[in-house]
Amino acid sequence: MTLHRLLLRSLLRRSSSSLLHLHPPAPFLPRSFAFSSAEEAAAERRRRKRRLRIEPPLNAIRPSPHTSRDPNAPRLPDSTNALVGPRLSLHNRVQSLIRAGDLDAASAVARHSVFSSTRPTVFTCNAIIAAMYRSKRYSDAIALFQFFFNQSNIVPNVVSYNNLINAHCDEGRVDVALDIYRHIIANAPFSPSPVTYRHLTKGLIDAHRIGEALDLLREMLTKGHGADSLVYNNLIKGFLDLGNLDKANELFDELKERCLVYDGVVNATYMEWFFNKGRDKEAMESYRSLMDRQFRMIPATCNVLLEVLLRHGKKTEAWALFDQMLDNHTPPNFQAVNSDTFNVMVNECFKLGKFAEALATFRKAGTKPNSKPFAMDVGGYNNIIARFCENEMLSEAETLFEELCSKSLSPDVPTHRTLIDAYLKMERIDDALRVLNRMVDAGLRVVASFGNRVFDELIKNGKAIDCAQVLSKMGEKDPKPDPTCYEVVIKGLCGEDLLDKSRELLDEVMRYGIGVTPALREFVIDAFKKVGRGDEIERLIYMNSFGHGPRPSGPRPPPYRPPPARFGHGSQMPGQQCPPSGPQPHVSGQHYRPPLPSAQMTGMHQPSWGVRPQVTEPHVPASGPPPYTSGQHYRPPSEIPPHMTRTHQSTFGVAPQMTGHHYAPSGPSPQMPGHQPYATPSSPFPQMTEHQPYGTPSGPTPQMAGHRPYGTPSGPSPQMAGHLPHGTPSGPPEQMARYGTPAQMSPPYYTSSQMTGTYPPSSGTPPQFEESHQPQSEVHEQVAA
């Protein structure tokens, strides 16, 4: 074994030496690195590690694309991660309108966004529903829930159901609220929250069904929920109102056994009941028993205790509790007070007429070393400014307003409204106008009811021009002012003979598409006619977006007759309209394209630069043979019934209506089942096919199954021919065989003289178009109602 290894080694040495002799080794070259030194390489490695810590790889924050979600699993509500980007901007816009008090505008913005690419999150929907509930508009809150979650396919969360339950309970429909509760248990991917039980128990007790409320409490405990203090408080208050103190004490003892720390609102309920019974000693014993436990109570609990003490004349105890709360305020560890706490004490000072003490209380802070002063928010400033304005102490209110503006806070709509009302009450018109300008410059919403009242007062004091300037600034922002605001200001300008300025405002109304009310239209026309400028204002009002003049009142010129086709023999060009005396144009296997007579041919299909025209009214098919065949008389456009008109919408505005009554062949066409979306009429109605792109064969073909666009009528009905743009082949069946469809009529072309009426140039919607194209906001208002 050893001899074998020695022989093998010797052979290897000889072979290696011979190879080196034949192939000498290459000269040594230093190895090239990506970095000039080892220190630079180490620095690069540290930089990469640091970047990975700051910016983790995408696969660490995104779910793997290979993991597919179970299609049978229930859909989950939006998480807070969805509230980013455009959806967060939408949410903030709705919230700003809610804070401004314009709930109708907030509701419209949220509902319209459902049909846009930026759909609202469940948090935006809950915000407007809760705002409607707080304003006691229960029917609107219920209708919005129906629209968002049942019709618009947004998944509700438990807060959404709680708002709905609360609205039904306050309306006295407790049984409906209980059905919603059972629906959550049976279908929702989450369980009811303690807030759900609070609303239900309160609703049952208000309906004098306290036994069912007690059963619901037991059901809450059986399902594994904790003993909620406010649910117990509802039942305790219910039994106290019935005079059953023993049962209330039994529930209170049960709560103390289940919860070592409970909410002090329960003691406040006992105190209120004892005070009303004249048993002040027992009420204060209940209060001292709570304070002896030395709970760290949140501001909401302490505020209730402060109100009870102040309401029943226990001033000393109330101020002692307020000082204790200030001492315990040690943010960010613990928040012991909020702006409502200061509002309670400040209002008490104003009630007693102690204005200097109220201001001192507003700036009060704790005395303990670790306590910190409370950073007052806008709500606290609004309360004390309103109290000073009520007592006509505007100098102090202005000082606090300037202090609020100097901080990082921004005055909101209630702040400006309070000052404007106070200035108008004191007849300080210039100051009211100054604050109104500041409010508009800050981008705050001026609600129609408030704005109309302020504009009316300012106009009465000779500030019509200033009101017009303010309204012009309001019109530059979205959402646009209410039409009634323009009505008030324009009427005021006309009343002061400022017709040129009123014309400018009216032009803004038309340009922004806000709409002119009938009362304003009649008033302005009468005012301008008195000075001989009636034609000017009528031209402005009836002006459309294409710049056409007013509707001609004289006889219409003869219809346009295109020259005959030069394509040889063949069948008549379908859809080409000629008078009976003229020759019939013929085609021979190719599509005839009539020349454009003039720029006023708005009845034809104008090019839309990549955007296909949208048909806003369905065509009505006629029974019997197709029109424009041999032997059929020509009907001028003036004799065509109004229901046979058709409106086309181009890219840059609303085109005038044309009388191109397109008929489809008689007889119903097969209708394929398809998904019928929301707001689609379900009654039998003439069916219109979708717009066919260039080169698409035309003709009455069966409707394809699938999702149909909004507003498309459904039901068994005669099929309507599709929209045929230029380039769509048409002709007799034998010539259309290569396209696979029979011959189909193309829309006839008319000059402006053949229309049902050309609209004068205007950026607003012409009167005839308003009937055929209902605004989306009106549809939504009908849904919400």
Side-chain angles (χ1 to χ4, degrees):
M1 204 57 188
T2 306
L3 180 61
H4 175 72
R5 290 182 179 178
L6 291 175
L7 291 174
L8 184 60
R9 288 178 182 177
S10 63
L11 289 174
L12 290 174
R13 288 194 192 98
R14 290 178 183 178
S15 62
S16 62
S17 61
S18 62
L19 289 174
L20 288 175
H21 178 71
L22 295 175
H23 304 283
F28 175 77
L29 295 176
R31 184 180 177 183
S32 62
F33 291 94
F35 306 99
S36 60
S37 64
E39 290 79 6
E40 185 178 351
E44 177 64 20
R45 286 194 299 270
R46 289 193 297 270
R47 189 187 67 82
R48 289 181 180 179
K49 291 181 180 179
R50 185 166 55 252
R51 186 178 62 184
L52 286 176
R53 287 195 299 269
I54 298 174
E55 302 175 1
L58 295 179
N59 57 6
I61 58 177
R62 292 182 179 176
S64 175
H66 302 288
T67 59
S68 59
R69 181 179 176 273
D70 183 10
N72 297 324
R75 295 175 57 206
L76 299 177
D78 293 327
S79 64
T80 53
N81 296 331
L83 204 61
V84 293
R87 305 180 83 183
L88 178 60
S89 301
L90 172 66
H91 181 77
N92 292 336
R93 183 181 179 186
V94 172
Q95 288 281 33
S96 63
L97 291 173
I98 292 174
R99 287 191 293 268
D102 198 350
L103 299 186
D104 293 328
S107 174
V109 170
R111 286 184 286 110
H112 292 176
S113 63
V114 169
F115 304 99
S116 67
S117 58
T118 306
R119 286 172 61 85
T121 61
V122 65
F123 309 104
T124 308
C125 302
N126 292 342
I128 182 60
I129 292 174
M132 290 292 184
Y133 169 78
R134 290 192 299 268
S135 299
K136 300 186 183 303
R137 297 172 60 173
Y138 304 123
S139 58
D140 292 335
I142 296 170
L144 285 174
F145 183 94
Q146 173 75 13
F147 173 75
F148 286 128
F149 304 121
N150 293 344
Q151 296 176 357
S152 302
N153 206 24
I154 300 175
V155 182
N157 58 14
V158 67
V159 179
S160 312
Y161 284 110
N162 289 342
N163 289 330
L164 184 63
I165 288 173
N166 211 0
H168 280 295
C169 287
D170 286 5
E171 284 283 284
R173 296 186 291 266
V174 186
D175 293 325
V176 179
L178 290 173
D179 291 339
I180 298 170
Y181 164 72
R182 299 185 187 99
H183 172 79
I184 298 174
I185 296 175
N187 303 309
F190 44 79
S191 300
S193 67
V195 181
T196 310
Y197 293 98
R198 294 174 194 172
H199 297 332
L200 288 173
T201 52
K202 184 178 182 300
L204 288 170
I205 292 171
D206 292 342
H208 308 290
R209 296 161 63 175
I210 195 170
E212 298 180 38
L214 187 59
D215 295 338
L216 194 62
L217 170 65
R218 302 305 176 196
E219 183 177 348
M220 178 187 73
L221 299 175
T222 304
K223 290 184 177 296
H225 295 280
D228 186 73
S229 301
L230 298 182
V231 176
Y232 275 92
N233 180 68
N234 290 337
L235 288 165
I236 290 172
K237 185 177 183 301
F239 282 111
L240 288 176
D241 292 339
L242 295 175
N244 194 345
L245 181 59
D246 297 334
K247 187 62 177 180
N249 291 333
E250 180 182 343
L251 289 172
F252 190 29
D253 294 338
E254 179 182 342
L255 174 64
K256 289 187 287 186
E257 291 176 0
R258 291 180 177 272
C259 300
L260 298 178
V261 178
Y262 59 89
D263 201 309
V265 175
V266 181
N267 289 85
T269 300
Y270 273 101
M271 292 167 59
E272 184 73 26
W273 188 75
F274 281 127
F275 278 129
N276 292 333
K277 295 292 183 180
R279 301 161 64 174
D280 295 1
K281 180 180 178 181
E282 295 175 343
M284 295 309 298
E285 288 178 357
S286 176
Y287 172 71
R288 294 188 185 94
S289 66
L290 173 66
M291 301 305 294
D292 292 341
R293 291 178 176 268
Q294 297 182 354
F295 292 155
R296 297 185 68 179
M297 294 180 290
I298 60 175
T301 299
C302 294
N303 293 344
V304 174
L305 293 171
L306 284 175
E307 292 175 353
V308 173
L309 291 173
L310 292 174
R311 190 182 303 119
H312 296 281
K314 303 298 180 181
K315 314 292 184 182
T316 305
E317 291 81 0
W319 283 103
L321 177 60
F322 177 63
D323 293 336
Q324 181 180 347
M325 294 171 64
L326 293 176
D327 292 338
N328 294 334
H329 185 66
T330 57
N333 298 327
F334 184 70
Q335 298 279 342
V337 294
N338 57 13
S339 59
D340 292 335
T341 309
F342 284 89
N343 293 344
V344 170
M345 305 309 294
V346 166
N347 293 343
E348 181 65 21
C349 294
F350 274 101
K351 187 185 300 182
L352 300 176
K354 301 178 180 179
F355 306 124
E357 187 176 350
L359 189 58
T361 302
F362 181 76
R363 306 184 187 280
K364 196 171 185 179
T367 56
K368 285 188 177 180
N370 59 343
S371 63
K372 296 180 181 179
F374 176 70
M376 188 60 65
D377 57 8
V378 180
Y381 276 99
N382 288 346
N383 178 73
I384 192 170
I385 289 174
R387 299 290 84 77
F388 277 122
C389 290
E390 289 175 359
N391 292 275
E392 299 182 357
M393 303 174 65
L394 295 184
S395 59
E396 289 81 358
E398 291 173 348
T399 302
L400 289 169
F401 181 77
E402 296 298 331
E403 179 182 333
L404 173 60
C405 296
S406 64
K407 295 180 178 291
S408 59
L409 306 172
S410 298
D412 56 5
V413 173
T415 315
H416 291 87
R417 291 182 61 171
T418 301
L419 284 176
I420 292 172
D421 288 336
Y423 285 136
L424 291 177
K425 182 180 179 181
M426 300 294 294
E427 297 183 354
R428 295 171 56 175
I429 305 302
D430 293 334
D431 292 330
L433 183 61
R434 173 178 55 83
V435 177
L436 180 62
N437 270 293
R438 189 191 184 285
M439 180 180 180
V440 175
D441 292 337
L444 300 175
R445 175 72 170 168
V446 179
V447 186
S449 58
F450 172 73
N452 294 343
R453 179 168 54 84
V454 174
F455 285 141
D456 187 61
E457 291 292 331
L458 293 176
I459 291 171
K460 289 179 180 178
N461 290 273
K463 299 293 183 180
I465 291 290
D466 300 293
C467 291
Q469 296 174 355
V470 172
L471 191 57
S472 297
K473 289 192 294 184
M474 291 168 56
E476 296 173 358
K477 301 179 177 63
D478 287 326
K480 301 300 181 184
D482 194 80
T484 57
C485 296
Y486 284 96
E487 182 178 352
V488 171
V489 177
I490 290 175
K491 286 183 177 180
L493 291 171
C494 293
E496 296 184 7
D497 295 331
L498 301 172
L499 300 183
D500 293 334
K501 190 62 179 178
S502 64
R503 187 188 183 281
E504 292 179 9
L505 272 186
L506 194 62
D507 182 65
E508 292 180 8
V509 174
M510 306 298 293
R511 187 168 66 251
Y512 295 145
I514 296 175
V516 181
T517 60
L520 177 60
R521 180 179 303 173
E522 295 177 3
F523 179 85
V524 171
I525 292 176
D526 293 341
F528 275 76
K529 280 184 177 180
K530 290 179 181 178
V531 295
R533 299 172 62 180
D535 295 338
E536 174 187 352
I537 202 64
E538 287 182 359
R539 188 181 303 111
L540 176 65
I541 291 178
Y542 294 106
M543 186 169 54
N544 67 13
S545 59
F546 286 96
H548 291 85
R551 183 182 305 173
S553 57
R556 298 182 179 180
Y560 165 70
R561 292 175 55 186
R566 300 178 181 178
F567 301 113
H569 298 283
S571 62
Q572 180 184 353
M573 175 64 188
Q576 177 67 37
Q577 180 175 353
C578 298
S581 60
Q584 300 283 347
H586 291 77
V587 295
S588 177
Q590 59 180 344
H591 178 66
Y592 168 71
R593 183 178 299 177
L596 304 181
S598 65
Q600 296 180 352
M601 283 180 53
T602 55
M604 60 174 291
H605 301 282
Q606 299 183 356
S608 57
W609 287 272
V611 182
R612 61 191 184 186
Q614 180 181 359
V615 180
T616 57
E617 281 191 7
H619 302 281
V620 182
S623 59
Y628 310 128
T629 57
S630 59
Q632 182 174 359
H633 295 285
Y634 166 72
R635 297 178 65 186
S638 59
E639 299 179 7
I640 297 174
H643 71 274
M644 301 170 78
T645 59
R646 182 181 185 181
T647 304
H648 294 278
Q649 183 176 1
S650 71
T651 308
F652 300 105
V654 180
Q657 283 183 327
M658 69 178 196
T659 59
H661 48 289
H662 303 244
Y663 291 88
S666 60
S669 60
Q671 178 80 13
M672 298 294 291
H675 173 66
Q676 182 174 357
Y678 162 69
T680 305
S682 59
S683 59
F685 198 78
Q687 181 70 25
M688 181 183 70
T689 59
E690 297 180 353
H691 173 82
Q692 300 181 2
Y694 292 93
T696 306
S698 62
T701 57
Q703 174 121 6
M704 296 179 61
H707 182 79
R708 303 219 312 265
Y710 290 102
T712 306
S714 64
S717 60
Q719 185 80 10
M720 180 58 211
H723 176 78
L724 296 176
H726 293 299
T728 305
S730 61
E734 60 272 14
Q735 296 174 354
M736 292 294 295
R738 61 192 178 100
Y739 297 105
T741 56
Q744 181 65 30
M745 297 191 316
S746 62
Y749 303 112
Y750 298 94
T751 60
S752 60
S753 61
Q754 291 177 278
M755 302 176 210
T756 55
T758 56
Y759 309 130
S762 166
S763 61
T765 305
Q768 291 87 349
F769 186 74
E770 293 174 355
E771 298 176 1
S772 62
H773 199 73
Q774 187 179 11
Q776 192 178 24
S777 59
E778 296 181 6
V779 177
H780 295 163
E781 291 295 340
Q782 296 169 5
V783 174

